[in-house]
Amino acid sequence: MKTMKRVMGVKSDKQTLNFLQCIEALQRYILAGAMCKQFTYSSGLAHIAIVTQVASKAAKEGKRHAAAVLYDERVREKWAEEAYKAGKDGQFDLDAAIIF
């Protein structure tokens, strides 16, 4: 597949983190987010627990841990869209979004 992409001149997809890099980045993200009062630290830890559960379920089903990384990317994109839709004066509670 890589050879075909190179021959056809197809640009490669964006680079994604592996599972361990994702968990490390999430730990730093939740610490920074909690310090900036974007959400509570416990909500951030809940998000890491959910990502870890997704990875565990994927591994049990014989799939790769990349499913957890993809889940994390998609859910944070969803939160960003919801926050954008709420606007500057809107009501978007990231703590509530993380838990549900």
Side-chain angles (χ1 to χ4, degrees):
M1 193 67 164
K2 290 180 183 179
T3 305
M4 285 198 64
K5 284 183 179 180
R6 188 173 47 234
V7 169
M8 300 297 285
V10 176
K11 301 283 184 195
S12 60
D13 298 330
K14 71 176 187 174
Q15 296 289 327
T16 59
L17 301 175
N18 66 37
F19 179 66
L20 293 177
Q21 291 171 329
C22 177
I23 294 298
E24 178 67 28
L26 280 175
Q27 289 174 345
R28 292 174 186 213
Y29 169 69
I30 65 164
L31 184 59
M35 289 175 67
C36 294
K37 308 237 187 266
Q38 292 179 350
F39 49 84
T40 62
Y41 187 69
S42 60
S43 295
L45 289 176
H47 177 63
I48 288 180
I50 293 168
V51 170
T52 306
Q53 287 175 354
V54 170
S56 176
K57 184 176 179 182
K60 286 179 184 176
E61 295 174 357
K63 298 178 183 172
R64 299 190 52 99
H65 291 104
V69 177
L70 183 61
Y71 167 79
D72 175 57
E73 288 176 4
R74 300 301 162 131
V75 75
R76 286 190 291 119
E77 286 174 4
K78 179 183 172 190
W79 295 337
E81 288 174 10
E82 289 179 14
Y84 180 76
K85 287 177 186 176
K88 192 173 187 179
D89 299 326
Q91 297 295 322
F92 176 71
D93 185 12
L94 186 55
D95 279 324
I98 289 173
I99 295 172
F100 297 108

